[in-house]
Amino acid sequence: MGIRVSHAYGEHLAVAAADGTEILRYVHRPDPDPFESPKPYAHPVRTLAGRTVTGYRPSDHRWHKGLQMTASHLSGQNFWGGNSYVHGRGYLPLPDRVGSMRHDGFAELTVDDDRLAFTEELTWVTRGGAGWARERRGIAVHSVDEEAGAWALDWSIHLTNTRDDPLVFGSPTTAGREAAGYTGLGWRGPRDFTGGTVFGPDLDGEKLNGSRGAWLACTAEHDEADAHSTLVFAHAPENLDQKSAIHESHWFTHMEPFAMIAVSWAYFEEFTLPPGESFAYRYRVLVADGAWDRDRVGAHLASLPW
């Protein structure tokens, strides 16, 4: 099944399935409010049947925007957006700590009949205007399978510290809040996904929060339509290899009172990136129609080579 790609120059890239259904919009011109940590994001993300599976600027957290790369605690700056967690004081509005990710351009962009792939250059900028890190981001849309009712989105990050000082990555949990590993690649679900079902290869529900594993799935039933959708978040094999990964990743899951999942790279412990050094991670998000079970998720992921 082929895809169609359009580019609103300076704004966004959009991918549509062969029948015209837009399944992904990647916005590279960030929303301007500095308190929301302006940065590129993917929204809306839809299934092949047109069901929206991302939320955007919800009333409870305006800085939650679809699927984004984030860093909630980074050497005193907040690249997540919104209030900053301070031990002993809770979440506080500290606008001087909220940074942004600047889109600098596309280094590569290729489109085939059934695949979009691009490389984006970004700079992580503090609220004071200092460039702290250079990111080379890879995005690919592929494996659009009408029979299975699913498609895949790959997201990679290669981040280099451009400061003269180390970059220290953490999360609200490393700052003192229990079970709050907000950081890394983060997804905000639409209202339909509140209270959704989460499971992994071996664990279910609340046991997944703070756990490690190759993948995590979330299913939910949509309002208005008699339909379910499934999202699967998966690690590339090297992410879980202790010899190659810079730091262990853990799942952060939060389904009440709203749906949030993050591939947290600093859930329990901080890690440091020295000046001039880099780290890299690769992830896959599977977007599917229907309520998939563990066996179906595992089999489909195994059929998609990295």
Side-chain angles (χ1 to χ4, degrees):
M1 183 175 180
I3 60 172
R4 291 185 288 174
V5 177
S6 60
H7 186 191
Y9 185 76
E11 298 284 343
H12 67 262
L13 287 161
V15 181
D19 66 358
T21 300
E22 184 181 291
I23 57 174
L24 172 72
R25 179 168 293 196
Y26 183 81
V27 181
H28 53 83
R29 181 179 182 181
D31 297 331
D33 188 337
F35 190 63
E36 296 177 9
S37 185
K39 53 188 175 290
Y41 57 89
H43 174 81
V45 178
R46 296 188 179 97
T47 69
L48 294 179
R51 316 297 182 196
T52 300
V53 295
T54 49
Y56 171 73
R57 294 196 78 243
S59 58
D60 48 77
H61 295 77
R62 294 298 188 194
W63 48 94
H64 289 178
K65 296 169 186 176
L67 186 66
Q68 292 185 303
M69 185 59 67
T70 71
S72 60
H73 289 65
L74 178 57
S75 297
Q77 287 282 300
N78 170 3
F79 290 88
W80 177 281
N83 297 330
S84 300
Y85 183 79
V86 179
H87 183 56
R89 302 176 66 192
Y91 282 97
L92 301 175
L94 302 173
D96 61 323
R97 294 192 183 187
V98 183
S100 61
M101 298 179 192
R102 185 183 69 219
H103 167 81
D104 294 330
F106 293 112
E108 299 175 280
L109 196 158
T110 60
V111 181
D112 297 320
D113 288 342
D114 57 359
R115 182 182 181 90
L116 162 70
F118 63 82
T119 302
E120 182 183 18
E121 304 285 354
L122 303 101
T123 301
W124 292 32
V125 183
T126 69
R127 186 60 173 270
W132 274 12
R134 182 177 64 253
E135 180 187 348
R136 191 172 178 88
R137 177 176 301 180
I139 301 288
V141 174
H142 62 96
S143 303
V144 179
D145 187 333
E146 186 175 13
E147 183 176 352
W151 63 276
L153 169 66
D154 288 358
W155 189 309
S156 67
I157 177 174
H158 184 277
L159 192 75
T160 302
N161 179 1
T162 57
R163 298 177 76 199
D164 293 329
D165 299 310
L167 286 173
V168 181
F169 292 80
S171 67
T173 295
T174 67
R177 184 188 174 200
E178 186 178 354
Y182 295 87
T183 201
L185 184 64
W187 165 79
R188 171 64 192 251
R191 298 292 177 187
D192 303 15
F193 273 78
T194 302
T197 300
V198 288
F199 59 92
D202 305 304
L203 297 173
D204 299 288
E206 294 181 358
K207 295 179 181 178
L208 282 162
N209 193 21
S211 71
R212 302 187 72 221
W215 57 264
L216 179 151
C218 175
T219 66
E221 185 173 12
H222 292 280
D223 293 333
E224 300 185 17
D226 296 326
H228 289 75
S229 293
T230 299
L231 281 176
V232 184
F233 303 85
H235 282 286
E238 69 269 16
N239 291 5
L240 302 176
D241 183 348
Q242 293 184 353
K243 294 182 180 179
S244 60
I246 186 172
H247 194 260
E248 289 188 351
S249 295
H250 296 78
W251 298 115
F252 171 71
T253 64
H254 183 296
M255 303 308 292
E256 295 281 359
F258 56 83
M260 170 69 69
I261 292 173
V263 193
S264 181
W265 53 33
Y267 193 117
F268 297 108
E269 298 176 342
E270 294 180 336
F271 72 88
T272 299
L273 185 66
E277 294 197 12
S278 306
F279 71 76
Y281 290 101
R282 290 193 300 154
Y283 309 102
R284 176 164 291 165
V285 181
L286 183 67
V287 182
D289 284 299
W292 289 27
D293 60 20
R294 182 177 281 113
D295 290 342
R296 187 174 182 184
V297 169
H300 197 86
L301 286 175
S303 73
L304 303 178
W306 283 96

